[in-house]
Amino acid sequence: MEPTTTTTTTSTTTTETTTTSTTTTTLEPTTTTSLKPSTTTLPPTTTTTPVPTTYKTPLASEGWTFSETTGCYYTLPDTRKMIYDEAKQYCALSYIADDLENVHLATVSSEYEARLIADFLEGPGNPKWVGIELTPRGEFRNIDGTYFSTSLFYDGEPSARPPHPQLQLGYRKASDDTHPYKLNDAHSGNKNRFVCEWCDPMYFTTSTTMAPTTSTTSTTTTAAPTTTTTVTTTTTLEPTTTTTEVPKTPCPNRVVLTESDILVAHYQYLGETAARINTRTSGRSLPQKFSCEEYCKGLSWGPSCAPCAVSSLKTKETCLFPGPFFTGDLCHRDYKSGNITDIPCCNKVTDTSYLPDYDIAEATTCYRGKNCKCNNFGKVDKTDPQERLIEKFEASKLVMLPRQWTSDNECIELS
């Protein structure tokens, strides 16, 4: 507001005329204008997350037993004995009405799990079907893809030639069934009891994060005469809710981690054996000695070894065996020509007819002890020219080479 000005003029006449002018300025009061606080509320942030599939959890009251070790549930159906295919189908279909999907014939990944399944019917002479089948490659695998070890077989099993394509826990004859949790192959037409298994496919966790509350006050002050405006703004955000899906984990503490650990340990072993290699001053490697057990399990190798030609592999076992580097069984390389021979790697050969003046002892870069007997470590594969074990190193069960053993008894590479 502008100031108001008042002017007063007074004139007095005496001997001479004098004129005096006086000016007075009066200021109006200072005016302060205050605005009402302004409050702005932002709409809540909305995040839409697909609703997870809800799975019913089996209850102990319904006959299911939960194992914290495997993270799965097991039940012994109250039904008659069945042949293998009937048992497999029963587990897959009988619990759908109860909102339980992906139930399957119980599989075996460890001695603990084998004992757990066997204990549903205590005592010897009560064989039970399990979800383990023979693959086209001729190896047994769990039907749910989980890890399986042939160390769970009874000695001498599988005994059928060729093996029956299904397995059971325990023998039917009680006097023979000294370890009811051990495996053996059985005719699929046999009628056995069985256990079904269910593993929780997934679960979700929800976390809520509160967004901060923000208050902003802006104040400007000047000397009179001035106008002072005070604006107060308060912004409050609604809580933000974020839903995070936990990765799908089929039966915790089982398949994937177990196989990863086995492969990592195997590669570490290869690194350790490579570090043991010593060389002469000429640069040639000194022969590396492997223990009898390493040799019998197919772990021995040396710088002079290379994957054998498939034409030199005369048995199904040597054809499909992946070797320590998962490139196939290893053969000796001719140190003169560099060609790969048919001589098995790290095997002392007394036949001198391969090449005139060829000294295998001089050429080899790995060997085993003279008195090595593989039957001290398990069942020997009589078809293996090196007479190694039927069950070789653990990681070899996890790799399948692109090869096939034909009906003409030939090893071929698959394109």
Side-chain angles (χ1 to χ4, degrees):
M1 183 176 290
E2 293 292 329
T4 301
T5 304
T6 304
T7 306
T8 305
T9 305
T10 305
S11 297
T12 305
T13 304
T14 53
T15 306
E16 50 182 328
T17 303
T18 302
T19 302
T20 304
S21 178
T22 303
T23 302
T24 303
T25 302
T26 304
L27 296 177
E28 293 291 326
T30 300
T31 302
T32 301
T33 303
S34 297
L35 298 181
K36 292 183 179 181
S38 174
T39 302
T40 304
T41 302
L42 298 180
T45 301
T46 303
T47 302
T48 303
T49 304
V51 178
T53 303
T54 302
Y55 293 91
K56 176 183 176 182
T57 301
L59 302 175
S61 59
E62 298 171 348
W64 290 87
T65 299
F66 176 70
S67 169
E68 292 185 357
T69 301
T70 66
C72 297
Y73 296 79
Y74 305 83
T75 188
L76 178 72
D78 185 15
T79 183
R80 60 180 174 83
K81 295 180 179 180
M82 297 182 182
I83 63 175
Y84 179 82
D85 289 339
E86 290 176 338
K88 184 179 179 182
Q89 187 177 38
Y90 182 96
C91 290
L93 302 178
S94 296
Y95 301 96
I96 295 178
D98 297 330
D99 297 328
L100 286 178
E101 298 181 359
N102 302 317
V103 178
H104 56 81
L105 200 58
T107 55
V108 177
S109 296
S110 63
E111 182 176 325
Y112 166 84
E113 193 169 21
R115 288 179 180 272
L116 175 65
I117 297 170
D119 286 345
F120 275 92
L121 282 177
E122 296 183 1
N126 291 304
K128 287 162 283 295
W129 288 123
V130 286
I132 303 171
E133 297 179 357
L134 196 66
T135 67
R137 181 183 173 180
E139 296 181 344
F140 284 100
R141 297 282 182 180
N142 282 327
I143 60 174
D144 62 351
T146 55
Y147 171 73
F148 170 72
S149 173
T150 54
S151 64
L152 300 171
F153 276 111
Y154 261 118
D155 290 341
E157 296 290 348
S159 57
R161 292 292 181 268
H164 294 300
Q166 295 84 27
L167 298 182
Q168 65 181 15
L169 284 177
Y171 287 127
R172 190 171 306 278
K173 189 176 180 180
S175 59
D176 294 335
D177 197 18
T178 55
H179 298 86
Y181 62 89
K182 289 203 170 183
L183 296 166
N184 60 96
D185 62 325
H187 193 278
S188 60
N190 291 355
K191 292 186 176 182
N192 292 334
R193 295 295 299 275
F194 55 94
V195 171
C196 298
E197 177 181 5
W198 182 85
C199 300
D200 191 358
M202 64 180 65
Y203 60 95
F204 288 77
T205 58
T206 302
S207 60
T208 301
T209 304
M210 296 293 293
T213 299
T214 304
S215 298
T216 304
T217 301
S218 175
T219 304
T220 304
T221 305
T222 57
T226 64
T227 299
T228 302
T229 303
T230 302
V231 179
T232 303
T233 303
T234 303
T235 303
T236 304
L237 299 179
E238 293 293 321
T240 301
T241 301
T242 304
T243 301
T244 304
E245 180 180 347
V246 175
K248 182 177 179 181
T249 306
C251 294
N253 302 326
R254 300 185 76 199
V255 194
V256 179
L257 290 178
T258 303
E259 294 189 355
S260 296
D261 290 342
I262 292 172
L263 289 172
V264 168
H266 179 70
Y267 287 123
Q268 288 176 338
Y269 166 82
L270 293 178
E272 291 169 0
T273 54
R276 294 187 338 223
I277 297 177
N278 293 314
T279 57
R280 297 184 177 95
T281 54
S282 63
R284 290 189 58 187
S285 298
L286 293 171
Q288 182 175 193
K289 182 178 180 179
F290 283 85
S291 70
C292 183
E293 184 175 6
E294 288 174 317
Y295 173 82
C296 295
K297 289 186 175 182
L299 286 166
S300 55
W301 64 278
S304 66
C305 302
C308 303
V310 292
S311 58
S312 69
L313 304 174
K314 303 302 182 182
T315 69
K316 180 179 179 180
E317 287 70 19
T318 54
C319 172
L320 302 179
F321 176 53
F325 293 96
F326 306 135
T327 55
D329 215 350
L330 300 178
C331 283
H332 190 76
R333 187 189 295 274
D334 186 339
Y335 74 98
K336 293 182 178 179
S337 66
N339 296 328
I340 301 172
T341 72
D342 294 345
I343 302 174
C345 187
C346 301
N347 192 40
K348 290 206 169 186
V349 178
T350 57
D351 183 6
T352 59
S353 63
Y354 167 64
L355 280 177
D357 303 322
Y358 185 82
D359 187 352
I360 186 69
E362 174 65 20
T364 191
T365 52
C366 58
Y367 65 98
R368 59 187 170 104
K370 296 180 179 179
N371 299 319
C372 178
K373 296 181 179 180
C374 291
N375 56 10
N376 292 330
F377 305 99
K379 190 173 182 179
V380 173
D381 182 3
K382 297 298 184 182
T383 66
D384 185 356
Q386 302 181 68
E387 295 186 347
R388 295 168 296 183
L389 298 175
I390 292 177
E391 184 173 349
K392 298 180 175 65
F393 64 93
E394 198 74 6
S396 67
K397 307 184 189 74
L398 307 180
V399 177
M400 183 179 294
L401 295 177
R403 295 177 179 176
Q404 183 177 352
W405 184 253
T406 69
S407 58
D408 296 328
N409 294 329
E410 291 181 345
C411 184
I412 61 172
E413 296 276 8
L414 299 178
S415 59

mmCIF file of all heavy atoms in Angstrom, residues 366-385:
data_model
loop_
_atom_site.group_PDB
_atom_site.id
_atom_site.type_symbol
_atom_site.label_atom_id
_atom_site.label_comp_id
_atom_site.label_asym_id
_atom_site.label_seq_id
_atom_site.Cartn_x
_atom_site.Cartn_y
_atom_site.Cartn_z
ATOM 1 N N CYS A 366 51.380 -91.447 -17.155
ATOM 2 C CA CYS A 366 50.607 -91.826 -15.970
ATOM 3 C C CYS A 366 50.644 -93.343 -15.839
ATOM 4 O O CYS A 366 50.767 -94.053 -16.825
ATOM 5 C CB CYS A 366 49.161 -91.325 -16.046
ATOM 6 S SG CYS A 366 48.221 -91.905 -17.470
ATOM 7 N N TYR A 367 50.558 -93.810 -14.602
ATOM 8 C CA TYR A 367 50.581 -95.254 -14.385
ATOM 9 C C TYR A 367 49.950 -95.567 -13.034
ATOM 10 O O TYR A 367 49.649 -94.684 -12.238
ATOM 11 C CB TYR A 367 52.024 -95.783 -14.450
ATOM 12 C CG TYR A 367 52.931 -95.277 -13.351
ATOM 13 C CD1 TYR A 367 53.174 -96.039 -12.215
ATOM 14 C CD2 TYR A 367 53.560 -94.037 -13.457
ATOM 15 C CE1 TYR A 367 54.015 -95.577 -11.202
ATOM 16 C CE2 TYR A 367 54.396 -93.564 -12.457
ATOM 17 C CZ TYR A 367 54.618 -94.344 -11.330
ATOM 18 O OH TYR A 367 55.435 -93.878 -10.335
ATOM 19 N N ARG A 368 49.748 -96.845 -12.786
ATOM 20 C CA ARG A 368 49.178 -97.329 -11.525
ATOM 21 C C ARG A 368 50.123 -98.355 -10.920
ATOM 22 O O ARG A 368 51.056 -98.812 -11.582
ATOM 23 C CB ARG A 368 47.812 -97.970 -11.767
ATOM 24 C CG ARG A 368 47.850 -99.155 -12.735
ATOM 25 C CD ARG A 368 46.457 -99.640 -13.083
ATOM 26 N NE ARG A 368 46.453 -100.601 -14.173
ATOM 27 C CZ ARG A 368 46.281 -101.910 -14.040
ATOM 28 N NH1 ARG A 368 46.140 -102.411 -12.826
ATOM 29 N NH2 ARG A 368 46.262 -102.705 -15.071
ATOM 30 N N GLY A 369 49.863 -98.709 -9.672
ATOM 31 C CA GLY A 369 50.710 -99.684 -9.003
ATOM 32 C C GLY A 369 50.624 -101.066 -9.625
ATOM 33 O O GLY A 369 49.628 -101.429 -10.251
ATOM 34 N N LYS A 370 51.671 -101.856 -9.442
ATOM 35 C CA LYS A 370 51.720 -103.190 -10.056
ATOM 36 C C LYS A 370 50.681 -104.134 -9.472
ATOM 37 O O LYS A 370 50.148 -104.988 -10.173
ATOM 38 C CB LYS A 370 53.119 -103.788 -9.868
ATOM 39 C CG LYS A 370 54.229 -103.031 -10.580
ATOM 40 C CD LYS A 370 55.577 -103.696 -10.341
ATOM 41 C CE LYS A 370 56.702 -102.961 -11.060
ATOM 42 N NZ LYS A 370 58.018 -103.597 -10.805
ATOM 43 N N ASN A 371 50.402 -104.022 -8.189
ATOM 44 C CA ASN A 371 49.501 -104.974 -7.525
ATOM 45 C C ASN A 371 48.095 -104.418 -7.334
ATOM 46 O O ASN A 371 47.400 -104.747 -6.375
ATOM 47 C CB ASN A 371 50.085 -105.364 -6.164
ATOM 48 C CG ASN A 371 51.429 -106.040 -6.303
ATOM 49 O OD1 ASN A 371 51.633 -106.871 -7.195
ATOM 50 N ND2 ASN A 371 52.379 -105.686 -5.431
ATOM 51 N N CYS A 372 47.667 -103.570 -8.254
ATOM 52 C CA CYS A 372 46.339 -102.957 -8.145
ATOM 53 C C CYS A 372 45.252 -103.980 -8.479
ATOM 54 O O CYS A 372 45.257 -104.581 -9.556
ATOM 55 C CB CYS A 372 46.243 -101.757 -9.088
ATOM 56 S SG CYS A 372 44.639 -100.949 -9.087
ATOM 57 N N LYS A 373 44.317 -104.180 -7.548
ATOM 58 C CA LYS A 373 43.182 -105.086 -7.752
ATOM 59 C C LYS A 373 41.893 -104.322 -7.487
ATOM 60 O O LYS A 373 41.585 -103.956 -6.361
ATOM 61 C CB LYS A 373 43.292 -106.289 -6.821
ATOM 62 C CG LYS A 373 44.506 -107.168 -7.099
ATOM 63 C CD LYS A 373 44.547 -108.367 -6.163
ATOM 64 C CE LYS A 373 45.750 -109.247 -6.451
ATOM 65 N NZ LYS A 373 45.814 -110.427 -5.541
ATOM 66 N N CYS A 374 41.138 -104.103 -8.565
ATOM 67 C CA CYS A 374 39.937 -103.274 -8.454
ATOM 68 C C CYS A 374 38.835 -103.921 -7.622
ATOM 69 O O CYS A 374 37.974 -103.220 -7.081
ATOM 70 C CB CYS A 374 39.409 -102.947 -9.848
ATOM 71 S SG CYS A 374 40.492 -101.824 -10.789
ATOM 72 N N ASN A 375 38.857 -105.245 -7.507
ATOM 73 C CA ASN A 375 37.795 -105.898 -6.713
ATOM 74 C C ASN A 375 37.900 -105.561 -5.231
ATOM 75 O O ASN A 375 37.011 -105.902 -4.448
ATOM 76 C CB ASN A 375 37.797 -107.411 -6.931
ATOM 77 C CG ASN A 375 39.152 -108.041 -6.620
ATOM 78 O OD1 ASN A 375 40.039 -107.389 -6.063
ATOM 79 N ND2 ASN A 375 39.310 -109.300 -6.991
ATOM 80 N N ASN A 376 38.965 -104.894 -4.830
ATOM 81 C CA ASN A 376 39.063 -104.430 -3.445
ATOM 82 C C ASN A 376 38.170 -103.223 -3.181
ATOM 83 O O ASN A 376 37.950 -102.852 -2.034
ATOM 84 C CB ASN A 376 40.517 -104.045 -3.111
ATOM 85 C CG ASN A 376 41.443 -105.245 -3.071
ATOM 86 O OD1 ASN A 376 41.023 -106.362 -2.739
ATOM 87 N ND2 ASN A 376 42.711 -105.033 -3.413
ATOM 88 N N PHE A 377 37.636 -102.611 -4.276
ATOM 89 C CA PHE A 377 36.852 -101.384 -4.131
ATOM 90 C C PHE A 377 35.411 -101.543 -4.618
ATOM 91 O O PHE A 377 34.634 -100.598 -4.562
ATOM 92 C CB PHE A 377 37.527 -100.251 -4.906
ATOM 93 C CG PHE A 377 38.959 -100.033 -4.521
ATOM 94 C CD1 PHE A 377 39.976 -100.562 -5.294
ATOM 95 C CD2 PHE A 377 39.290 -99.336 -3.371
ATOM 96 C CE1 PHE A 377 41.303 -100.375 -4.945
ATOM 97 C CE2 PHE A 377 40.620 -99.143 -3.016
ATOM 98 C CZ PHE A 377 41.626 -99.669 -3.801
ATOM 99 N N GLY A 378 35.053 -102.703 -5.087
ATOM 100 C CA GLY A 378 33.690 -102.917 -5.568
ATOM 101 C C GLY A 378 33.645 -103.984 -6.630
ATOM 102 O O GLY A 378 34.603 -104.739 -6.835
ATOM 103 N N LYS A 379 32.510 -104.036 -7.337
ATOM 104 C CA LYS A 379 32.316 -105.062 -8.355
ATOM 105 C C LYS A 379 33.022 -104.652 -9.644
ATOM 106 O O LYS A 379 32.842 -103.545 -10.155
ATOM 107 C CB LYS A 379 30.825 -105.262 -8.611
ATOM 108 C CG LYS A 379 30.512 -106.474 -9.478
ATOM 109 C CD LYS A 379 29.012 -106.717 -9.547
ATOM 110 C CE LYS A 379 28.706 -107.958 -10.367
ATOM 111 N NZ LYS A 379 27.235 -108.215 -10.422
ATOM 112 N N VAL A 380 33.815 -105.554 -10.194
ATOM 113 C CA VAL A 380 34.610 -105.276 -11.384
ATOM 114 C C VAL A 380 33.783 -105.535 -12.635
ATOM 115 O O VAL A 380 33.003 -106.483 -12.713
ATOM 116 C CB VAL A 380 35.889 -106.137 -11.393
ATOM 117 C CG1 VAL A 380 36.649 -105.992 -12.713
ATOM 118 C CG2 VAL A 380 36.788 -105.750 -10.228
ATOM 119 N N ASP A 381 33.956 -104.674 -13.636
ATOM 120 C CA ASP A 381 33.304 -104.847 -14.928
ATOM 121 C C ASP A 381 34.156 -105.795 -15.777
ATOM 122 O O ASP A 381 35.207 -105.416 -16.280
ATOM 123 C CB ASP A 381 33.160 -103.488 -15.608
ATOM 124 C CG ASP A 381 32.443 -103.578 -16.944
ATOM 125 O OD1 ASP A 381 32.008 -104.681 -17.318
ATOM 126 O OD2 ASP A 381 32.315 -102.527 -17.616
ATOM 127 N N LYS A 382 33.688 -107.009 -15.939
ATOM 128 C CA LYS A 382 34.464 -108.024 -16.667
ATOM 129 C C LYS A 382 34.565 -107.713 -18.147
ATOM 130 O O LYS A 382 35.423 -108.253 -18.847
ATOM 131 C CB LYS A 382 33.832 -109.401 -16.456
ATOM 132 C CG LYS A 382 33.831 -109.870 -15.002
ATOM 133 C CD LYS A 382 35.236 -110.030 -14.455
ATOM 134 C CE LYS A 382 35.228 -110.580 -13.037
ATOM 135 N NZ LYS A 382 36.595 -110.690 -12.475
ATOM 136 N N THR A 383 33.662 -106.848 -18.664
ATOM 137 C CA THR A 383 33.730 -106.512 -20.091
ATOM 138 C C THR A 383 34.717 -105.376 -20.367
ATOM 139 O O THR A 383 35.027 -105.095 -21.519
ATOM 140 C CB THR A 383 32.343 -106.084 -20.606
ATOM 141 O OG1 THR A 383 31.952 -104.853 -19.978
ATOM 142 C CG2 THR A 383 31.295 -107.152 -20.300
ATOM 143 N N ASP A 384 35.195 -104.725 -19.333
ATOM 144 C CA ASP A 384 36.130 -103.609 -19.491
ATOM 145 C C ASP A 384 37.538 -104.152 -19.705
ATOM 146 O O ASP A 384 38.056 -104.903 -18.870
ATOM 147 C CB ASP A 384 36.086 -102.729 -18.237
ATOM 148 C CG ASP A 384 36.944 -101.477 -18.371
ATOM 149 O OD1 ASP A 384 37.631 -101.332 -19.395
ATOM 150 O OD2 ASP A 384 36.919 -100.651 -17.443
ATOM 151 N N PRO A 385 38.196 -103.803 -20.824
ATOM 152 C CA PRO A 385 39.556 -104.282 -21.061
ATOM 153 C C PRO A 385 40.518 -103.912 -19.927
ATOM 154 O O PRO A 385 41.523 -104.597 -19.725
ATOM 155 C CB PRO A 385 39.947 -103.575 -22.375
ATOM 156 C CG PRO A 385 38.652 -103.238 -23.034
ATOM 157 C CD PRO A 385 37.696 -102.954 -21.922
#
